[in-house]
Amino acid sequence: MSLRLGDVAPNFKAKTSIGEIDFYEYLGNSWGILFSHPADYTPVCTTELGRTAALKDEFAKRNVKVLALSVDPVDKHLGWINDINETQNCEVDFPIIADDDRKVSNLYEFIHPNASATATVRSLVIIGPDKLVKLIITYPASTGRNFVEVLRVVDSLQLTANHSVATPANWNHGEDVIVVPAVSTEDAIKKFPKGVKIVKPYLRYTPQPNLD
């Protein structure tokens, strides 16, 4: 069965670069990002993990814990982390899952047989504190992910989880948002004291509500 938005993210226990973990226990009440890599010691993956490490403070600010995954064993991960730290000028301190038995990859459908029968593709899953899947994106092995976009999506998910708004195309933190159709204009004016700009009856903007 396919893993879809709104599904419960499967729990698992796994060996990682920081020791054995229980996925749910590791996440606790945080948001989680689980992302897969085709293999250790590969150039695109090296830049991706380096970029993730460099964004450590940004993830922490959003209460997000990250975990990477590769089908290689722990000892290989540890050697690769040294290379990442050296070449990307960072410190990788988040866990990299050793999924040499493909258990987690199969749970999360990170292996796409038409792309590769053995290697994982570049999938990324965002999981909420309620352990439900909030976002799934998948890139081919040849294309590195945009982690600024991942942060943008987290900002949108966390905002829209708590307010009756949606985020428009190319939205970034601090910009105006859209009032969802389920809220009437009359209620929107009461609900959003910063003001409601009505472009069309179904297209109404308001300043981002969780900012002072």
Side-chain angles (χ1 to χ4, degrees), residues 38-39 110 161:
F110 288 160

Side-chain angles (χ1 to χ4, degrees), residues 12-33:
F12 58 83
K13 291 183 179 178
K15 295 177 181 177
T16 80
S17 56
I18 65 167
E20 188 162 335
I21 65 163
D22 176 284
F23 184 47
Y24 278 13
E25 287 181 5
Y26 176 77
L27 291 182
N29 293 319
S30 299
W31 289 69
I33 293 178

Side-chain angles (χ1 to χ4, degrees), residues 55-139:
L55 291 169
K56 174 183 177 179
D57 291 345
E58 293 299 321
F59 286 118
K61 190 163 67 178
R62 293 164 173 82
N63 190 31
V64 175
K65 292 182 178 178
V66 299
L67 305 91
L69 174 148
S70 170
V71 294
D72 292 312
V74 167
D75 58 343
K76 204 170 178 184
H77 286 353
L78 296 176
W80 183 35
I81 286 171
N82 290 331
D83 281 5
I84 297 167
N85 292 343
E86 176 192 344
T87 63
Q88 306 302 304
N89 192 29
C90 66
E91 183 180 350
V92 174
D93 59 4
F94 54 86
I96 305 177
I97 295 166
D99 196 37
D100 37 338
D101 60 2
R102 276 100 171 141
K103 175 185 165 187
V104 181
S105 297
N106 287 327
L107 272 178
Y108 280 83
E109 299 181 328
F110 288 160
I111 294 176
H112 293 200
N114 288 334
S116 170
T118 56
T120 50
V121 291
R122 294 188 197 286
S123 286
L124 182 148
V125 180
I126 297 180
I127 298 153
D130 55 6
K131 304 301 183 288
L132 299 183
V133 174
K134 306 298 183 182
L135 175 130
I136 303 170
I137 53 175
T138 300
Y139 288 62

Side-chain angles (χ1 to χ4, degrees), residues 174-195:
E175 297 176 352
D176 286 357
V177 296
I178 291 172
V179 180
V180 296
V183 177
S184 70
T185 297
E186 182 181 1
D187 288 342
I189 292 169
K190 297 174 186 173
K191 192 176 183 69
F192 301 109
K194 294 179 184 177

Side-chain angles (χ1 to χ4, degrees), residues 188-210:
I189 292 169
K190 297 174 186 173
K191 192 176 183 69
F192 301 109
K194 294 179 184 177
V196 177
K197 179 183 176 183
I198 304 167
V199 179
K200 292 285 185 182
Y202 60 87
L203 180 57
R204 301 155 301 165
Y205 291 88
T206 188
Q208 185 172 329
N210 64 342

